[in-house]
Amino acid sequence: MCSISTFVSTGLITPWNFPIAMITRKVGPALAAGCTCVLKPSELTPLTAIALETLAKRAGVPEGVFELVTADRELTREVGDEMCVNSIIKKISFTGSTPVGKLLMKQSSDTVKRLSLELGGNASFIVFDDADLDIAVNAAMSSKFRNAGQTCVCSDRFLVHHSVEKEFVARLAEKVGQIKIGHGLEEGVTMGPVISNVPVKNLSKKVETAISDGAICVVGGSPLEDLGPNFFEPTILTNVDTNSLIWCTETFGPVVAVTTFDTEDEAVAMANDSSVGLASYICTRDMSRIFRVSSALECGMVGVNEGIISSASAPFGGVKESGLGREGSALGIKEYLNTKYVFLNC
């Protein structure tokens, strides 16, 4: 017969971009499986984690079942190291960058921990010649500019069939022009800042490099210094070189990088030409193409004519260097369970 057991003690490490959802997505299934949790939230968003810990205690979660460790940037590495090498921790779940995920894998090897890793992406967004362009533009807007482009499943690489590129870009530019940028608590604001001035510098460098490589800046392209040090213009670049820095690396900001393709096979090959594989998006009316391309794309999730694909009822995760395991759905709790086989001779 088979029985199910838990890991008992788990270490959870979460990022800053969705500070409530990232915690509940891990803590929820861990507690449901019967595990205790030690959570290390991002040093940039500790207050949300402290509030959740307080609410958990008020709700009756026993002392010691959900523990919190906060740290500044200097001590963050030390906390992660301890989770990896401490034999009490049997499983680690981490959401963050691919380089840090690789480091956690190496450091956890001596204790052979079970790992769940939701790492970086560089999502492709393919617009075929038969796409409904209104639907495609709306999907692009929600996928690219949600949270100022700071999600791991944001579309970064836009592959548009050459026959519809001009129309798609024109409609997208019109929509981008309607974005109101400012403080998130101000009335009418639809896009706020990025997390700090560091990504603003990175975005500026990527845009400048792309333009020097031959890209054309259709909209935006610069920091919005009058609003503060953490704001960057929603930007559209066309004619982007597929060897450019902005194409080859995750952007994590409000910049659309567009190039064109001629055939379906070419689009799939370009989309798969990446070391990561978290999410991809396709826009088409052809149902046969939907199944054909979805199957061919090397990623963990595919959005079809839609830009927001996350759901608590669906498995979330990637392939290649985008990580291991899944969160959400019925599969999410399995990351916190062990299967034990018992042979009976009675």
Side-chain angles (χ1 to χ4, degrees), residues 22-23 49 72 115 218 222 231 253 320:
M22 294 295 97
I23 294 173
D72 58 19
L115 294 173
V218 177
S222 303
F231 289 87
K320 300 199 282 193

Side-chain angles (χ1 to χ4, degrees), residues 1-6 114 337-343:
M1 68 178 186
C2 289
S3 63
I4 302 297
S5 62
T6 70
R114 174 86 70 87
L337 298 173
N338 281 317
T339 301
K340 180 184 291 185
Y341 162 62
V342 179
F343 182 91

